[in-house]
Amino acid sequence: MIEITDKTRDEFFSEAQEIIETLSRNLLSIDAMEKQGRTDPSLVNEAFRAVHTLKGLAGLFGATRIGSISHTLEDLLDDVRLGRQPLTVAVLDVLFVAVEAYHRLLAAEKSSTDEPIPVLDELLTRLAAIGGAVPSRPTQQDEYDLDPGMLAVLTEYEEHRLRSNIEQGLNLYRLRVAFDLNTIDKALEEIKDRAKLHGEIITYLPTGDVGGGDTIDLDLMMASSEDLAVLVGALGADNIVIEAVPRRRRPTVRPMGVPAVAVVIEQSEPAPAAGGGLSVRREDEVPVPVVEHHEASLRSVTQTVRVDIRKLDHLMNIVGELAIVRSALSRLAERLRAEGQRQFGSELMRMHRSFDRRLAELQDGILEVRMVPLGQVFDRLARVVRQISRDAGKEIRLVITGAETEIDKLIVEELSDPLMHMIRNAIDHGIEKSDVRASVGKPTAGTIALNAFQKGNHVMIEIEDDGAGIDEAVLLTKAVAMGKVGTAEASDLSRDELLALIFLPGLSTRDAASDLSGRGVGMDVVKTNIGKLGGVIDVQSERGIGTKLTITLPITLAIVSALIVDVAGRTYAIPLATVSEAIRLDESGVRVVDGREVMTLRGSTLPLCRLHRLLRLDVPPGWRRQFVVVAAVGNRRLGLVVDDLFGQQDIVIKPLGRSLREVRGFSGATELGDQRVGLVIDAAALIDELLTGFETRERSGGRRWVTS
Amino acid sequence: MGDLVNPRVGRLARRGDLNRGPVLEFLAFVLDGELYAVQLTKIREILSPPPITEVPRSAPEILGVCSVRGLLVTVIDLRRRLGVTAATVSRRSRILLAESDQGEVIGLLVDEVRQVIRLSESDVELASAVLGGDVAEHFIGIGRAPGAEFILLDLASVVPA
């Protein structure tokens, strides 16, 4: 066992996480192919390798539970790839349960708890149910003249693939390819990719013939349903010679340069060794050349590194500090010029400008590194859709577009739960049962479209289903029953306002809380979580046509533009994303409604919050409040009364420490220069805090509905 | 930090090492005229107070936040935390940086930093024997060095979890 430091532990988690995600993607592909009645043995092989690697990792880090299920899964996948266990839907289901179990186990491992994990028991039971069901293979015989050297070094897996291809009646071909030593890695992958379209490469070996100079010859054994002529047409090239491997008892052309042997594929009655059943009958004893076997390269082919996001945060902090140096430089240059040191001043100014440019580039560079494709979270969703749609007995087609759209890593992490919830809602409440769909002339399979795209400095994510749409009448009945909406104003609500009711806490359109969603914790939580990321969510729905939820998110949380304001002599920052405008306060226009100050802004009521009062700051005598910063989050607005506006600045928001987690109203702090720290006002939190309750009271006073 | 060590105390303490078993180093500081000490290994750094930004609506013992080379640090008024009167920042005030169990870096404002003292087990009278009840939760006990007594503070109990 290696010494486990926090750092190596972190690396274990991120590597394990990555492997599990790859495994999950893999299974989804296998599943998709299985639905079309096809299998890609290389995918099964990859899944096997992923589990195998995971087992090794777990052993290294003493994660025994992960280790032991990996061991069992490895056996199962080994049986699958060697054809001892057919790849049935049941097997796939177990594998998906396993991915779920891995996630739970990893989380448990991370928090160092070893409480029981229910999904693990389920997994073990189901694994036990599958084990031992080794089907008998139909008897099938065929014979090929093959190179004994090649046969001797076939792995068990390759033997199985060879056998199964022959059983399927495919033709065997030998491709002799001359590779340039310098480019062999790439060229080999290329030819494998091309060959995949026409069949399967079972194995490849060096021929032993020393090519001239920098080339090496490899023999590739390939199985294909196509004719030689077709293959030659598709794969042929100057450096590739393709021949059919002759069947036995045909006129023998010694194919591979060495005395031929016959391969008899026969049934193994009681299978002697694992996968045994392939016997080689030599016509004459030939010493088998020892040939080094090429395992799939373990060397990573990608040129990427994994970086802890905290390291990037640290770099971003340094950039923030350099920005402070930059403004000091510019002040210094100004001073020099003012004091008559024109030449020094100008030189320093030039340096400052060049520094400024580079610094901006550096900042952009770091931001770019933080970006990850949304595909990461979409893959996870695809797995969930598969599971839920099976549980709900509904047929769902998930169509993903824009998975390559990039967004800040931190946002991606926080997105997965809200998106999951919305997808569950779509399946559970949106998509109808297939018989219902058929009766209204819709295709029986429901479609959920997950679209992502960039729009300016924002990323939009749409979740659209072609289900029944939201029944606003049911929504309204519920809202009235819960006392969230008065009966009087119920008839006043527009369709958009009605739809916005889904974001009210505790509202669910299903009476029986289902396993899938419901239970009253729903869209309000989604909305809050999206809000925490500086995003907003909108809903559109058409009865009988479907529902579309649109999330708008900032691309990054690392740097935001903010309005810098003064409240009672203290400096605060308000992110511009939440500011719709700033106006001068006209005290004569301030009225008091139900104990709260409001003003009228372009015909609608704007509740006001005097920040100095809310924050209990002492106001120096003679102070005069002057400005209203109108904060808007979704369609709720609040006027923040401040004393002065200092202008706009790009800020790096740092979260407040754990010891301040109880403090509401601030999303963090930022450095303002001169070593000073300013707090960042969380307008969304203030709106929630101050307006919840107020709106209801205001509504019952017969006024217009102000919020969602 | 060399100037913090009172050479005489250090020497005396060292002489005693021979027959008193393992020795721990403590950092001594002043709060409201009293001498306190915390285990030296728990302190990351000693700072002159940078500008501190108050955090409205936070607990009374929280002075605010400050930036230490880009790191956001919550500063606690140790006098108020221990139920003594509120601190005033003077020329001699210092901030001790310590790390909480959750890895958060916390600043503790003290009136003055004195010296590093070395104490072995036999120099420490445990709090349970000296003090009773609530007060004991923050203190390990009394440390006796030649010429002075120190209240030994349990850092984990004053740093918020």
Side-chain angles (χ1 to χ4, degrees):
Chain A
M1 228 192 258
I2 59 167
E3 193 198 345
I4 299 170
T5 60
D6 281 354
K7 194 170 171 201
T8 50
R9 242 174 84 85
D10 283 355
E11 275 169 12
F12 162 65
F13 286 125
S14 65
E15 189 164 354
Q17 185 79 33
E18 209 162 277
I19 294 172
I20 294 166
E21 271 160 25
T22 313
L23 176 65
S24 156
R25 265 201 299 280
N26 230 310
L27 293 178
L28 286 168
S29 310
I30 295 175
D31 185 52
M33 291 190 79
E34 196 263 339
K35 288 212 174 98
Q36 300 165 17
R38 294 186 299 142
T39 44
D40 179 350
S42 70
L43 286 174
V44 179
N45 219 12
E46 271 172 44
F48 169 76
R49 251 182 275 145
V51 171
H52 178 75
T53 313
L54 212 49
K55 184 178 91 170
L57 262 185
L60 216 52
F61 284 88
T64 44
R65 288 198 290 184
I66 295 182
S68 75
I69 77 163
S70 300
H71 186 78
T72 318
L73 282 173
E74 190 185 7
D75 286 349
L76 172 62
L77 281 165
D78 202 26
D79 285 348
V80 171
R81 75 187 190 121
L82 295 177
R84 292 192 294 246
Q85 165 70 54
L87 186 59
T88 57
V89 175
V91 170
L92 262 176
D93 281 348
V94 170
L95 293 173
F96 278 107
V97 175
V99 169
E100 196 53 46
Y102 270 135
H103 279 295
R104 298 280 162 79
L105 278 172
L106 210 56
E109 203 67 52
K110 218 167 183 167
S111 55
S112 309
T113 57
D114 42 3
E115 58 190 46
I117 295 169
V119 66
L120 194 59
D121 298 335
E122 183 194 344
L123 176 64
L124 293 174
T125 324
R126 291 173 76 166
L127 271 173
I130 285 178
V134 180
S136 63
R137 234 186 328 280
T139 310
Q140 177 105 37
Q141 284 202 3
D142 210 337
E143 295 169 13
Y144 274 92
D145 281 329
L146 281 173
D147 177 355
M150 193 172 249
L151 286 172
V153 294
L154 286 186
T155 62
E156 194 188 339
Y157 173 64
E158 289 164 346
E159 260 180 53
H160 156 67
R161 293 309 313 155
L162 174 62
R163 193 186 315 119
S164 99
N165 276 306
I166 294 173
E167 279 169 8
Q168 286 172 36
L170 300 183
N171 304 315
L172 281 187
Y173 296 95
R174 187 198 63 178
L175 284 67
R176 177 157 292 188
V177 191
F179 288 102
D180 187 320
L181 274 178
N182 293 317
T183 56
I184 179 162
D185 284 355
K186 241 180 91 186
L188 185 57
E189 284 308 315
E190 222 173 79
I191 192 160
K192 277 160 92 179
D193 282 350
R194 274 195 290 147
K196 237 185 177 166
L197 304 172
H198 305 278
E200 180 184 349
I201 301 270
I202 294 165
T203 188
Y204 52 93
L205 293 174
T207 56
D209 296 348
V210 181
D214 288 340
T215 64
I216 183 168
D217 287 356
L218 294 190
D219 275 341
L220 278 62
M221 194 199 292
M222 177 173 175
S224 170
S225 59
E226 286 165 9
D227 288 340
L228 181 61
V230 177
L231 276 191
V232 170
L235 299 172
D238 288 349
N239 60 336
I240 304 179
V241 181
I242 304 176
E243 290 172 6
V245 176
R247 301 200 182 224
R248 203 170 161 243
R249 294 192 206 96
R250 280 188 191 167
T252 312
V253 229
R254 301 262 140 150
M256 300 244 182
V258 271
V261 292
V263 183
V264 181
I265 309 287
E266 57 189 22
Q267 162 121 42
S268 56
E269 341 86 58
L278 182 84
S279 69
V280 177
R281 208 166 54 214
R282 296 208 165 82
E283 285 172 346
D284 46 10
E285 278 302 317
V286 174
V288 176
V290 179
V291 187
E292 190 197 345
H293 181 241
H294 286 232
E295 274 288 349
S297 173
L298 292 176
R299 195 158 46 92
S300 164
V301 283
T302 51
Q303 301 235 326
T304 54
V305 286
R306 255 202 307 265
V307 181
D308 188 329
I309 192 131
R310 280 170 298 191
K311 288 187 182 164
L312 294 180
D313 283 344
H314 178 64
L315 287 181
M316 201 45 119
N317 278 343
I318 297 177
V319 169
E321 283 170 59
L322 286 177
I324 294 165
V325 173
R326 177 191 57 190
S327 33
L329 268 181
S330 123
R331 277 198 303 274
L332 192 59
E334 289 296 336
R335 218 173 79 197
L336 278 174
R337 276 205 276 205
E339 288 171 3
Q341 306 263 17
R342 297 213 132 268
Q343 203 187 336
F344 282 144
S346 310
E347 252 173 67
L348 197 57
M349 207 43 162
R350 262 202 306 283
M351 279 178 61
H352 163 257
R353 271 197 297 271
S354 151
F355 183 69
D356 187 36
R357 262 199 311 279
R358 298 288 131 71
L359 191 61
E361 283 171 24
L362 183 60
Q363 182 177 313
D364 287 350
I366 296 173
L367 283 182
E368 208 179 297
V369 174
R370 294 173 64 98
M371 297 293 169
V372 291
L374 273 168
Q376 285 190 358
V377 61
F378 286 1
D379 284 341
R380 258 176 269 168
L381 291 174
R383 199 173 67 232
V384 171
V385 167
R386 179 186 186 275
Q387 185 61 46
I388 303 175
S389 54
R390 284 176 61 95
D391 291 351
K394 292 175 184 174
E395 209 180 319
I396 310 284
R397 212 164 56 95
L398 181 69
V399 183
I400 294 177
T401 57
E404 72 288 347
T405 311
E406 294 196 322
I407 195 163
D408 194 292
K409 170 80 178 164
L410 285 180
I411 300 183
V412 164
E413 293 299 311
E414 297 302 318
L415 263 182
S416 110
D417 284 351
L419 285 179
M420 193 100 76
H421 197 95
M422 285 184 269
I423 295 255
R424 275 169 185 257
N425 272 343
I427 299 174
D428 199 26
H429 305 306
I431 307 279
E432 316 89 329
K433 298 248 179 224
S434 50
D435 49 338
V436 179
R437 292 181 64 88
S439 69
V440 294
K442 284 184 182 179
T444 51
T447 301
I448 295 178
L450 197 54
N451 309 319
F453 53 93
Q454 189 176 337
K455 194 173 168 190
N457 272 329
H458 289 92
V459 166
M460 320 284 289
I461 302 175
E462 298 170 348
I463 299 117
E464 193 172 1
D465 68 62
D466 65 347
I470 296 172
D471 189 337
E472 64 268 28
V474 175
L475 270 180
L476 186 59
T477 317
K478 290 244 170 184
V480 171
M482 288 166 67
K484 305 260 181 190
V485 178
T487 31
E489 86 255 45
S491 52
D492 274 1
L493 298 180
S494 71
R495 173 152 173 86
D496 281 351
E497 286 167 334
L498 284 168
L499 285 177
L501 291 173
I502 63 165
F503 297 115
L504 283 178
L507 204 94
S508 169
T509 51
R510 266 265 174 111
D511 281 326
S514 78
D515 213 19
L516 306 173
S517 51
R519 292 191 198 288
V521 189
M523 292 304 291
D524 60 314
V525 179
V526 168
K527 188 175 182 174
T528 312
N529 289 341
I530 297 289
K532 279 187 194 149
L533 298 172
V536 289
I537 177 167
D538 290 308
V539 55
Q540 288 165 278
S541 187
E542 204 69 55
R543 292 294 301 281
I545 307 279
T547 303
K548 177 160 140 188
L549 292 154
T550 308
I551 303 171
T552 311
L553 288 161
I555 283 188
T556 181
L557 295 176
I559 289 209
V560 301
S561 288
L563 184 65
I564 310 296
V565 302
D566 176 299
V567 180
R570 282 83 162 176
T571 307
Y572 294 96
I574 309 174
L576 277 179
T578 53
V579 173
S580 65
E581 62 188 302
I583 48 175
R584 215 167 251 286
L585 175 65
D586 173 14
E587 288 285 358
S588 64
V590 177
R591 297 168 287 130
V592 176
V593 173
D594 197 15
R596 173 173 298 279
E597 290 184 305
V598 299
M599 61 178 272
T600 304
L601 178 63
R602 285 191 293 278
S604 63
T605 305
L606 178 71
L608 293 178
C609 163
R610 297 195 190 255
L611 276 178
H612 79 275
R613 204 175 289 160
L614 179 78
L615 303 178
R616 291 193 209 93
L617 302 173
D618 304 326
V619 181
W623 209 264
R624 214 162 44 93
R625 284 161 294 278
Q626 308 180 69
F627 294 93
V628 179
V629 176
V630 182
V633 176
N635 44 10
R636 307 166 99 184
R637 295 189 308 162
L638 176 66
L640 302 171
V641 180
V642 302
D643 300 317
D644 205 353
L645 305 176
F646 290 144
Q648 185 182 331
Q649 192 177 320
D650 282 348
I651 60 167
V652 178
I653 302 182
K654 296 171 186 179
L656 297 176
R658 275 181 62 88
S659 49
L660 295 171
R661 62 185 181 276
E662 308 287 332
V663 178
R664 290 191 299 169
F666 303 104
S667 53
T670 185
E671 283 183 78
L672 296 167
D674 323 325
Q675 265 199 306
R676 279 185 317 127
V677 169
L679 294 175
V680 182
I681 288 178
D682 183 349
L686 288 184
I687 286 178
D688 259 358
E689 176 185 340
L690 298 172
L691 296 189
T692 309
F694 171 67
E695 291 150 349
T696 327
R697 283 197 301 278
E698 203 199 2
R699 271 201 316 277
S700 48
R703 250 164 232 91
R704 188 98 187 101
W705 169 274
V706 238
T707 100
S708 61
Chain B
M1 210 189 287
D3 59 332
L4 294 172
V5 183
N6 179 327
R8 195 178 56 84
V9 173
R11 204 163 48 239
L12 283 172
R14 261 194 301 281
R15 200 190 302 152
D17 289 357
L18 297 169
N19 47 21
R20 288 187 312 169
V23 168
L24 289 177
E25 289 185 314
F26 286 80
L27 179 71
F29 56 88
V30 178
L31 281 183
D32 200 24
E34 297 258 20
L35 278 172
Y36 289 78
V38 288
Q39 217 178 315
L40 185 63
T41 51
K42 303 276 170 71
I43 302 298
R44 273 170 55 140
E45 199 171 336
I46 302 169
L47 303 170
S48 287
I52 295 172
T53 300
E54 65 180 309
V55 179
R57 319 167 107 190
S58 60
E61 73 259 27
I62 291 180
L63 271 180
V65 289
C66 69
S67 163
V68 179
R69 292 184 302 278
L71 180 71
L72 196 65
V73 173
T74 305
V75 183
I76 291 173
D77 179 349
L78 197 51
R79 276 166 63 156
R80 289 196 77 153
R81 181 78 183 90
L82 298 178
V84 201
T85 51
T88 45
V89 176
S90 78
R91 201 171 47 81
R92 289 183 160 173
S93 299
R94 291 292 180 272
I95 288 175
L96 311 182
L97 288 192
E99 204 166 315
S100 77
D101 289 343
Q102 274 73 32
E104 181 187 359
V105 176
I106 301 280
L108 302 166
L109 183 77
V110 301
D111 294 345
E112 190 182 337
V113 167
R114 282 287 175 82
Q115 75 247 44
V116 173
I117 52 169
R118 295 160 63 85
L119 297 173
S120 73
E121 228 173 274
S122 63
D123 298 328
V124 177
E125 195 175 340
L126 290 180
S128 48
V130 196
L131 308 154
D134 309 343
V135 197
E137 79 175 282
H138 295 314
F139 304 112
I140 299 168
I142 304 288
R144 294 181 212 285
E149 287 188 350
F150 302 88
I151 302 168
L152 303 183
L153 199 61
D154 175 15
L155 207 56
S157 79
V158 293
V159 169

